[in-house]
Short mmCIF file of all heavy atoms in Angstrom, two decimals:
data_model
loop_
_atom_site.label_atom_id
_atom_site.label_comp_id
_atom_site.label_asym_id
_atom_site.label_seq_id
_atom_site.Cartn_x
_atom_site.Cartn_y
_atom_site.Cartn_z
N PRO A 7 -4.00 14.82 -4.35
CA PRO A 7 -5.04 15.81 -4.00
C PRO A 7 -6.44 15.20 -4.11
O PRO A 7 -7.32 15.72 -4.78
CB PRO A 7 -4.82 16.94 -5.00
CG PRO A 7 -4.17 16.28 -6.18
CD PRO A 7 -3.41 15.10 -5.67
N GLY A 8 -6.65 14.10 -3.48
CA GLY A 8 -7.91 13.38 -3.45
C GLY A 8 -7.91 12.25 -4.45
O GLY A 8 -7.42 12.42 -5.55
N PRO A 9 -8.45 11.11 -4.01
CA PRO A 9 -8.74 10.76 -2.63
C PRO A 9 -7.52 10.89 -1.71
O PRO A 9 -6.39 10.74 -2.17
CB PRO A 9 -9.21 9.31 -2.72
CG PRO A 9 -9.77 9.17 -4.09
CD PRO A 9 -8.95 10.07 -4.95
N GLU A 60 -20.47 10.25 -5.71
CA GLU A 60 -19.17 10.93 -5.61
C GLU A 60 -19.35 12.43 -5.92
O GLU A 60 -20.42 12.84 -6.38
CB GLU A 60 -18.23 10.21 -6.59
CG GLU A 60 -16.80 10.56 -6.49
CD GLU A 60 -16.47 11.72 -7.37
OE1 GLU A 60 -17.26 12.02 -8.29
OE2 GLU A 60 -15.40 12.32 -7.15
N GLY A 61 -18.31 13.21 -5.66
CA GLY A 61 -18.36 14.67 -5.80
C GLY A 61 -19.03 15.21 -7.04
O GLY A 61 -19.76 16.21 -6.99
N ILE A 62 -18.84 14.54 -8.16
CA ILE A 62 -19.43 15.00 -9.42
C ILE A 62 -20.96 15.07 -9.32
O ILE A 62 -21.59 15.94 -9.91
CB ILE A 62 -19.01 14.06 -10.58
CG1 ILE A 62 -17.50 14.20 -10.85
CG2 ILE A 62 -19.81 14.31 -11.84
CD1 ILE A 62 -17.05 15.50 -11.44
N LEU A 65 -22.15 18.46 -8.11
CA LEU A 65 -22.08 19.51 -9.14
C LEU A 65 -23.24 19.35 -10.13
O LEU A 65 -23.92 20.32 -10.48
CB LEU A 65 -20.77 19.44 -9.94
CG LEU A 65 -19.45 19.28 -9.18
CD1 LEU A 65 -18.27 19.35 -10.15
CD2 LEU A 65 -19.31 20.32 -8.10
N TYR A 87 -11.83 22.39 -14.15
CA TYR A 87 -13.17 22.19 -13.58
C TYR A 87 -14.07 23.39 -13.87
O TYR A 87 -15.27 23.25 -14.07
CB TYR A 87 -13.11 21.93 -12.07
CG TYR A 87 -12.76 20.50 -11.72
CD1 TYR A 87 -11.45 20.13 -11.46
CD2 TYR A 87 -13.75 19.53 -11.64
CE1 TYR A 87 -11.13 18.82 -11.12
CE2 TYR A 87 -13.44 18.22 -11.32
CZ TYR A 87 -12.12 17.88 -11.06
OH TYR A 87 -11.81 16.58 -10.74
N VAL A 134 -15.54 27.82 -9.24
CA VAL A 134 -14.75 26.76 -8.62
C VAL A 134 -13.87 27.38 -7.55
O VAL A 134 -13.15 28.34 -7.81
CB VAL A 134 -13.90 26.00 -9.67
CG1 VAL A 134 -13.05 24.93 -8.98
CG2 VAL A 134 -14.81 25.34 -10.70
N HIS A 135 -13.98 26.85 -6.34
CA HIS A 135 -13.21 27.39 -5.21
C HIS A 135 -11.74 27.02 -5.39
O HIS A 135 -10.89 27.89 -5.50
CB HIS A 135 -13.81 26.85 -3.91
CG HIS A 135 -13.27 27.48 -2.67
ND1 HIS A 135 -13.55 27.00 -1.42
CD2 HIS A 135 -12.48 28.57 -2.48
CE1 HIS A 135 -12.95 27.78 -0.51
NE2 HIS A 135 -12.30 28.71 -1.14
N CYS A 136 -11.44 25.71 -5.41
CA CYS A 136 -10.08 25.28 -5.75
C CYS A 136 -10.15 24.43 -7.01
O CYS A 136 -10.78 23.37 -7.00
CB CYS A 136 -9.45 24.47 -4.62
SG CYS A 136 -7.90 23.67 -5.09
N ASP A 137 -9.53 24.89 -8.09
CA ASP A 137 -9.50 24.12 -9.34
C ASP A 137 -8.30 23.18 -9.24
O ASP A 137 -7.17 23.55 -9.54
CB ASP A 137 -9.45 25.05 -10.56
CG ASP A 137 -10.18 24.44 -11.74
OD1 ASP A 137 -9.85 23.29 -12.10
OD2 ASP A 137 -11.09 25.09 -12.29
N THR A 138 -8.57 21.96 -8.81
CA THR A 138 -7.54 21.02 -8.36
C THR A 138 -6.46 20.67 -9.38
O THR A 138 -5.31 20.49 -8.98
CB THR A 138 -8.23 19.72 -7.86
OG1 THR A 138 -9.54 20.06 -7.39
CG2 THR A 138 -7.46 19.09 -6.73
N PRO A 139 -6.75 20.54 -10.67
CA PRO A 139 -5.69 20.17 -11.60
C PRO A 139 -4.52 21.16 -11.63
O PRO A 139 -3.39 20.77 -11.92
CB PRO A 139 -6.39 20.12 -12.96
CG PRO A 139 -7.82 19.85 -12.63
CD PRO A 139 -8.07 20.57 -11.32
N ASP A 163 -18.20 24.98 -6.48
CA ASP A 163 -17.53 23.69 -6.33
C ASP A 163 -16.37 23.88 -5.36
O ASP A 163 -15.32 24.42 -5.71
CB ASP A 163 -17.01 23.22 -7.70
CG ASP A 163 -16.16 21.95 -7.59
OD1 ASP A 163 -15.88 21.51 -6.46
OD2 ASP A 163 -15.74 21.44 -8.65
N SER A 164 -16.62 23.43 -4.11
CA SER A 164 -15.57 23.53 -3.10
C SER A 164 -15.11 22.13 -2.70
O SER A 164 -14.65 21.91 -1.57
CB SER A 164 -16.06 24.33 -1.89
OG SER A 164 -14.99 24.60 -1.00
N VAL A 165 -15.23 21.18 -3.63
CA VAL A 165 -14.93 19.78 -3.31
C VAL A 165 -13.51 19.63 -2.77
O VAL A 165 -13.29 18.92 -1.79
CB VAL A 165 -15.15 18.87 -4.55
CG1 VAL A 165 -14.67 17.45 -4.28
CG2 VAL A 165 -16.63 18.85 -4.94
N SER A 166 -12.54 20.32 -3.37
CA SER A 166 -11.15 20.12 -2.94
C SER A 166 -10.64 21.27 -2.08
O SER A 166 -9.44 21.37 -1.83
CB SER A 166 -10.24 19.93 -4.15
OG SER A 166 -10.13 21.15 -4.87
N ALA A 167 -11.54 22.16 -1.64
CA ALA A 167 -11.11 23.28 -0.80
C ALA A 167 -11.75 23.20 0.59
O ALA A 167 -11.07 23.34 1.60
CB ALA A 167 -11.45 24.61 -1.46
N GLY A 186 -17.28 17.19 -1.20
CA GLY A 186 -17.16 15.75 -1.41
C GLY A 186 -16.48 15.09 -0.22
O GLY A 186 -15.83 15.76 0.58
N GLN A 188 -14.06 12.77 -0.31
CA GLN A 188 -12.73 12.16 -0.51
C GLN A 188 -11.58 13.14 -0.59
O GLN A 188 -10.48 12.75 -0.94
CB GLN A 188 -12.76 11.28 -1.76
CG GLN A 188 -12.58 11.99 -3.09
CD GLN A 188 -13.87 12.55 -3.66
OE1 GLN A 188 -14.74 12.99 -2.93
NE2 GLN A 188 -13.99 12.54 -4.97
N LYS A 189 -11.82 14.42 -0.30
CA LYS A 189 -10.71 15.38 -0.37
C LYS A 189 -10.32 15.78 1.06
O LYS A 189 -9.92 14.92 1.82
CB LYS A 189 -11.11 16.57 -1.24
CG LYS A 189 -11.58 16.17 -2.66
CD LYS A 189 -10.44 15.82 -3.60
CE LYS A 189 -10.90 15.17 -4.89
NZ LYS A 189 -11.34 16.09 -5.92
N PHE A 323 -4.14 16.35 -15.60
CA PHE A 323 -4.82 15.87 -16.80
C PHE A 323 -5.19 17.02 -17.72
O PHE A 323 -4.89 18.18 -17.44
CB PHE A 323 -6.03 15.00 -16.45
CG PHE A 323 -6.92 15.55 -15.37
CD1 PHE A 323 -7.99 16.35 -15.69
CD2 PHE A 323 -6.67 15.27 -14.03
CE1 PHE A 323 -8.82 16.85 -14.69
CE2 PHE A 323 -7.50 15.76 -13.03
CZ PHE A 323 -8.57 16.56 -13.37
N ARG A 332 1.55 17.13 -8.72
CA ARG A 332 0.71 17.69 -7.65
C ARG A 332 0.93 16.94 -6.34
O ARG A 332 0.93 15.70 -6.33
CB ARG A 332 -0.76 17.60 -8.05
CG ARG A 332 -1.09 18.41 -9.30
CD ARG A 332 -2.57 18.38 -9.61
NE ARG A 332 -3.04 17.03 -9.93
CZ ARG A 332 -4.29 16.63 -9.84
NH1 ARG A 332 -5.22 17.46 -9.41
NH2 ARG A 332 -4.63 15.40 -10.19
C1 PLP B 1 -12.24 15.90 -6.91
C2 PLP B 1 -13.04 17.00 -7.43
C3 PLP B 1 -14.37 16.82 -7.80
C4 PLP B 1 -15.01 15.47 -7.71
O1 PLP B 1 -14.85 14.73 -8.81
P1 PLP B 1 -13.76 13.66 -9.27
O2 PLP B 1 -14.53 12.59 -9.90
O3 PLP B 1 -13.02 13.16 -8.05
O4 PLP B 1 -12.90 14.39 -10.23
C5 PLP B 1 -15.07 17.91 -8.24
N1 PLP B 1 -14.51 19.14 -8.31
C6 PLP B 1 -13.24 19.36 -7.95
C7 PLP B 1 -12.67 20.74 -8.06
C8 PLP B 1 -12.46 18.30 -7.50
O5 PLP B 1 -11.19 18.50 -7.13
#
Side-chain angles (χ1 to χ4, degrees):
E60 191 270 342
I62 293 290
L65 314 185
Y87 279 95
V134 178
H135 189 189
C136 170
D137 212 306
T138 332
D163 173 355
S164 189
V165 173
S166 69
Q188 82 275 34
K189 305 282 169 83
F323 45 91
R332 298 184 296 158

